[in-house]
Structure formats: C-alpha cells, structure tokens
Amino acid sequence: MPIRPDHPLLQRIVDDLADVGWSHQTVFLPDDLTRALAQECHKRAQHGLLAPAAIGRGDSQVIREGVRGDQIAWLEGDESSPAIARYLALMDALRLAFNQSLFMGLEDYESHFAMYPPGAFYATHLDRFKDDDRRMVSLVLYLNEAWLPEHGGALRMHLPDGQTRDVLPAGGSLVCFMSGDLPHEVLPATRERMSLTGWFRRRGENVLENVL
Ligand code: OGA
Ligand code: MN
C-alpha cells in the first residue's frame, strides 16, 4: 500500500522542519529498499554513468575538486527500476505532506545518486543557486551498510545558533533541511560513501516563464 501524506513518520519530518529547519530520521527507508537503491547506485558506477559533480548552473558550471569530490548520476524519470519507483512515491508523499501542513507550494522533485570516493569531501555550501531560488527543501538518504563513526564522512550542519551538528551517513537514514537556510558540508571518509540526494522545488517567481 502506498504511504499516505498523513503518516506519522512524514508528519514528524514536517513538524521538525517547521520548528527548527531540519530533521534527522535514523530509521527511514526499509532495509530491502536501501539495499536495492545501493545496488542501483553501484550499477551506475559500473556502467560509467557517474560523473564528477559540477558547481553552479548553466554556463557557470565548473568542476572544482577542491570544493566537491563526489560523482553523481541524476534520476531522469525514465528509470524502470521498481526500487526507484518506490523511492519516488515515498518522496512524493512527503512533498504532499509539506504542502498540506505548511502550504509550501512544492511542485516537483529533482534527485541524484552521489558517490564519494575515500577522501572526497564537499566544502561548506548552501543548496540554492544565486540565479535560481526554486529549491526549498533538501533531502539526503544514505545507502551505506554498517557505517561506523571511525569511517568519518559525516554531514556537518552549521546551525543558526553557531553550533554544528554531525550526522553519520548510515544506511536507511534521512536528513532533510531548508535549502536556503542551512550551510552544510560533507567531511572526508575512509570508505566509499553513497547517497541519494534530492530537492523539493517550488514554481519560479516568473509565472509566465513557461507560457510565453
Ligand atoms: C549535496 C550535499 C550532503 C550529503 O549533495 O548538496 O550537501 O551528506 N550532500 O551527502
Ligand atoms: Mn548540499
């Protein structure tokens, strides 16, 4: 049965975002789905479909390893994998939960697999582009089995009160935060680090841009 937007787990995430701007769920994805998505990520790596991630958008896209060392593969919407379909259905229920409870007007979702080789990191950044503020909520799902603190690779969030909070990329866990408000970074790890990262977006400011 598909999950409904009023499911208590989804409501907890919505409430966390409304209260403090971020949420961490250590148990989010079912184990079999985490494993199947990890396999999808590995399959892309084996087929050479993971590419160095770029910084910025459009003409200004550059690849700077000093800033971001992960390899990514965007989901294009034409995947035939049942695991990806389950993942997208879950994210859509969460999108509706945000819209129903917080009237956020989230219209779509974009997402990519990311693989960080050992030693790779992503320097402190915000998930919003200067020329495009449609990204509202960032969501990171981790796909790593048996992650231990000594493996490193934490997501470090820089909270508004000046404190930092580190989250381990443990398989099946979810971190979610307001894209424009929360600077964050990925610390280097001693082993390969996989995630499925996405963003709920609202409509652009210019309501005629898709019509004219
Ligand atoms: C990103 C990002 C965090 C993570 O892809 O923008 O910040 O923990 N990822 O993988
Ligand atoms: Mn980010």
Side-chain angles (χ1 to χ4, degrees), residues 63-138:
I63 295 164
R64 284 190 287 165
E65 289 215 5
V67 178
R68 173 170 194 184
D70 57 333
Q71 307 249 324
I72 66 171
W74 287 96
L75 296 190
E76 304 290 358
D78 57 357
E79 290 82 9
S80 55
S81 145
I84 291 178
R86 278 172 76 195
Y87 160 71
L88 291 176
L90 178 58
M91 290 297 119
D92 209 52
L94 183 54
R95 183 181 69 83
L96 294 175
F98 277 115
N99 285 348
Q100 286 168 15
S101 299
L102 305 178
F103 308 103
M104 286 176 79
L106 304 173
E107 292 217 316
D108 70 3
Y109 185 60
E110 58 176 0
S111 59
H112 63 59
F113 285 105
M115 191 181 268
Y116 289 71
F121 61 91
Y122 193 162
T124 307
H125 64 280
L126 282 176
D127 281 352
R128 241 190 215 175
F129 304 112
K130 284 195 194 73
D131 58 347
D132 182 346
D133 63 359
R134 284 176 300 161
R135 285 182 172 178
M136 294 292 287
V137 180
S138 304

Side-chain angles (χ1 to χ4, degrees), residues 68 116 122 125 127 140 142 155 184 186 193 195 197 199:
R68 173 170 194 184
Y116 289 71
Y122 193 162
H125 64 280
D127 281 352
V140 193
Y142 297 109
L155 168 68
H184 56 282
V186 177
R193 178 191 192 276
S195 60
T197 300
W199 296 270

Side-chain angles (χ1 to χ4, degrees), residues 22 31 39 45 60 77 85-86 93 100 121 123 135 150 153 167:
W22 62 282
D31 285 344
Q39 266 170 21
S60 62
R86 278 172 76 195
Q100 286 168 15
F121 61 91
R135 285 182 172 178
E150 53 265 38
V167 165

